[in-house]
Structure formats: structure tokens, C-alpha cells
Amino acid sequence: MLTACGLGFAPAEGGAADRAPKVSRAQIRITPGDGAREVRPDDPFTVEAEHGRLTSVRVADGEGAAIDGALNPDRTRWQPRDRLALSAKYTVDAVAVDGDGRRAAKHAVFTTLVPRNTLVGYFTPEDGQTVGTGMIVSLDFNRPVADRAAVQRAISVTSVPAVDVEPHWFGDQRLDFRPRYRWQPGTAVTLALRLRDVEAAHEVYGVQHKDVRFTVGRDQTSVVDAATHTMTVRRAGQVFRVLPVSAGAPDNPTYNGAMVVSEKLRLTRMNGDTVGFGGEYDIPDVPHALRLTRSGTFVHGSYWAPPGTFGSANTSHGCVGLYDVKGGGDATPAGWFFDHTLVGDTVTVVNSHDRTVAPDNGLGGWNLSWRQWVSGG
């Protein structure tokens, strides 16, 4: 009787064993691995080949856009040229070959960190605005910035024609930019925000990636002389008009120094409670108001003061008052100045009995020397 046990049959030459595919010795390692979540932008991201070389690496974001990267000279390691983005999904497909030309492939998908705390910079001036030659670019951040260098590197202010524009920090939540001298009329300025995915503080990441463009208009400067109760308005250095004013009273003098118009309000409410004057005044309809400081200094129309006050006495709580009528008149001194003023125009107060305005009180940076300004970057 014959049985199969003990019978040894060698496979015929060219049989099934010879036809079995041989596995590539190349091994692909993707870091972070397939399925990884909450990957930080600065975590390692590499595609590596062992016992072989990479022939192709394709990385795409959640929208299918390819991510640029580079291979090392022996094609065993691929790395992206830029950091990973936050709140993103990445798909990786890699192919490698071993020394015999046998191919290996690997696929991976991972997602990056969704930040719980984001940094936003609120900027002045607005996109598309035409501003005065004294404009200072200012950003207020919604959270304290611990890594000022990283944030500063992600923001630039450039102009055509080109001038040197330097940054200055006021504390950890405000960053301003200005040139050494006032802008020339006609200058085109671009504020480039590249804050997206920049770690400004521990687990606080920027979200903005945009350009803000504005244009510098004609050159107008004004000087308020608190002693003579006048405001001299100049265009391109030539006297344009002299207006009678009433500055701050002796008990509440107007700040000295250069201030920049940062806001124009045809009608606004002014309440002494909001600026430390208690219930001394509450005027619901102040006309032609031009903001000079954050603390509440304005050039504005005044319909409640007798006309003879302007040009002869200082009676305000620190603002610069111009004659006006209730509701605001187009032909009044206040109406004329409002209509002929741009955000970014400079108003300088002299001969007042108060100190010079602080450089961070509004856009007061022109009160710092260039050396002081540059040292704050």
C-alpha cells in the first residue's frame, strides 16, 4: 500500500514556488504615524527609507493641495520645507525601491493640533484707507505675547517708495510700526500679517494670514497753541488756515506733544464717567469729534460754549474745542476742520501746562526719538 507519508516530491523547475513574488527589502517609516492626532506644528515630520531609496513622496493637505518638500542627496529622507499648519489633515503616499528595484509603498493620514487659544491682531489703519502722513501702524493683540521675536518676524510693513519702517512694542499686547520721518504723500504701504500657526505664547497660536494695504494722502499738520488759543493748519508746510480754539482749562490742561487722529465721528456721546471726571458732564451729541488719544482727548465741535470763548480762553476738560452748532454745521470751524482732516493727520499741542502725551496713549509714537523707537523693537 502506498501512502503519502515519507514521500518527498521536489517541485518541478519553474513551479509555483519560483513564481511567488519577492518582497522588497525597502522599508518606509512615516513620522508622525498613520492615525496620529493633535500633532504640533513644530513636531518632527519626516518620510524615511531603510534598505532602499525613496522614488516619490506626495503629501497633500485636506483640500488636496500638495505640500512642498525636499529629499536628502541619497534619497533616504524627505522633509517639508515649511512647518505644518494647525487644524489640518495631511495625507502621505510614499514609494521606495530596494537595491534590486523592488518597490515598497506606504500610506498614512494624520491631523494637526486644533488650538484652543488663538492670537488675533486688531490693526490700524483699515485696508484700503487713505491716511495722513503721520499714520502709525498699530496692532493690538487679544492675548499677551510671550515670544515677541516670533510674532515680530511674522509681521512686516513695507512701502513704495521704500523707506525704513521699524517696530516698537508697548507692553506684551501692542506692536506699532513707523518710519523715521512722516510718510511722503502718495506712498503705498502694505502691512503683511503672517501670524497663522505662529506660537505667540504657550499653546497660543496666531490665525491671520493677510495683507492690509493703505495709501498716504496729502500732507497736513496742525499745531494747537494753548497760550494763544489758536490752531494753525498747514498743507505741505504752508499755512492753510488758522482757527480759534479753546483748549484744556488750567485744572485739566491738554496734553502737549504730537498726537495722531485715529478716529472720526460726526456725532458721539462724551460722558465724564468714562474718563475719570465723574458726573461733571454727559453730552449725548458732540459734533465733529476727532480722536487724538485713547484716554479721551479729542478735537471736537462745541455748541454749548459761547462763541467768544474760542480764541480767548481755555475752558475744556482737556480736549481742543472748535466753535460749532448743535448737530454740527458744515460751515463752522469744527465742520471745516473735520471735513479737511484724514485719519493719520498729526495734531501737535504746544504751550500747555500739562506733560507730553505718553507714546502709547493713542498713536503718540512720534514723541519718541528714532533711537528710542528702534530700541523698543
Side-chain angles (χ1 to χ4, degrees):
M1 180 181 294
L2 296 175
T3 67
C5 295
L7 296 178
F9 292 97
E13 188 176 346
D18 285 343
R19 293 195 301 271
K22 294 184 178 180
V23 177
S24 174
R25 293 190 304 275
Q27 296 180 0
I28 300 172
R29 182 171 63 250
I30 299 173
T31 305
D34 187 34
R37 304 170 67 88
E38 297 290 296
V39 176
R40 296 170 60 91
D42 52 356
D43 284 349
F45 177 26
T46 60
V47 180
E48 296 173 290
E50 294 182 356
H51 311 300
R53 58 187 180 86
L54 294 163
T55 57
S56 71
V57 177
R58 187 180 190 280
V59 182
D61 62 19
E63 298 178 353
I67 304 303
D68 192 23
L71 286 161
N72 64 356
D74 60 5
R75 302 183 70 86
T76 59
R77 182 183 177 91
W78 178 96
Q79 286 182 288
R81 297 189 189 277
D82 298 316
R83 286 161 46 108
L84 296 171
L86 292 166
S87 308
K89 176 182 177 181
Y90 288 96
T91 302
V92 185
D93 287 287
V95 178
V97 296
D98 64 12
D100 296 323
R102 290 187 289 261
R103 290 159 52 94
K106 194 162 188 177
H107 173 84
V109 177
F110 64 88
T111 55
T112 56
L113 177 71
V114 178
R116 293 160 182 80
N117 301 308
T118 56
L119 180 81
V120 176
Y122 300 100
F123 50 84
T124 297
E126 296 296 326
D127 187 40
Q129 250 186 319
T130 297
V131 301
T133 55
M135 189 72 232
I136 292 176
V137 178
S138 184
L139 292 116
D140 285 295
F141 298 106
N142 64 324
R143 298 178 187 277
V145 173
D147 193 343
R148 297 187 192 179
V151 170
Q152 188 172 306
R153 284 194 300 268
I155 302 171
S156 66
V157 178
T158 57
S159 67
V160 178
V163 294
D164 185 19
V165 182
E166 294 291 336
H168 187 99
W169 287 90
F170 293 108
D172 57 9
Q173 288 188 243
R174 178 173 167 184
L175 177 62
D176 285 10
F177 292 81
R178 52 157 272 212
R180 184 168 190 168
Y181 306 107
R182 295 198 317 274
W183 305 98
Q184 290 299 311
T187 300
V189 185
T190 299
L191 164 65
L193 298 174
R194 299 296 181 264
L195 290 168
R196 183 181 298 166
D197 303 340
V198 173
E199 190 170 14
H202 180 60
E203 296 189 350
V204 176
Y205 293 90
V207 296
Q208 291 162 300
H209 185 102
K210 68 181 300 177
D211 291 333
V212 179
R213 295 181 174 87
F214 62 92
T215 303
V216 180
R218 80 290 174 274
D219 179 36
Q220 177 174 299
T221 60
S222 300
V223 175
V224 174
D225 189 328
T228 62
H229 318 292
T230 59
M231 178 164 64
T232 302
V233 183
R234 287 182 169 84
R235 285 276 179 96
Q238 302 299 312
V239 175
F240 192 30
R241 188 169 176 181
V242 179
L243 299 170
V245 302
S246 178
D251 291 342
N252 301 296
T254 306
Y255 289 121
N256 282 297
M259 292 167 268
V260 175
V261 175
S262 60
E263 188 178 17
K264 294 180 65 176
L265 303 166
R266 286 200 172 273
L267 213 64
T268 190
R269 178 185 178 187
M270 291 188 178
N271 186 339
D273 285 331
T274 65
V275 289
F277 286 113
E280 292 188 30
Y281 62 88
D282 185 2
I283 306 169
D285 56 352
V286 177
H288 295 133
L290 301 161
R291 180 182 288 277
L292 299 181
T293 70
R294 290 189 177 186
S295 62
T297 307
F298 285 79
V299 176
H300 63 76
S302 173
Y303 62 80
W304 52 90
T309 303
F310 306 98
S312 63
N314 293 327
T315 61
S316 80
H317 285 79
C319 292
V320 176
L322 292 163
Y323 173 71
D324 212 339
V325 296
K326 192 173 178 64
D330 293 336
T332 63
W336 180 91
F337 187 66
F338 186 93
D339 290 341
H340 287 81
T341 296
L342 293 172
V343 167
D345 283 350
T346 305
V347 177
T348 302
V349 177
V350 298
N351 296 325
S352 180
H353 296 294
D354 203 353
R355 63 188 183 278
T356 298
V357 64
D360 61 344
N361 188 0
L363 303 177
W366 295 109
N367 295 293
L368 294 176
S369 70
W370 186 241
R371 177 177 293 180
Q372 290 173 318
W373 183 266
V374 171
S375 69

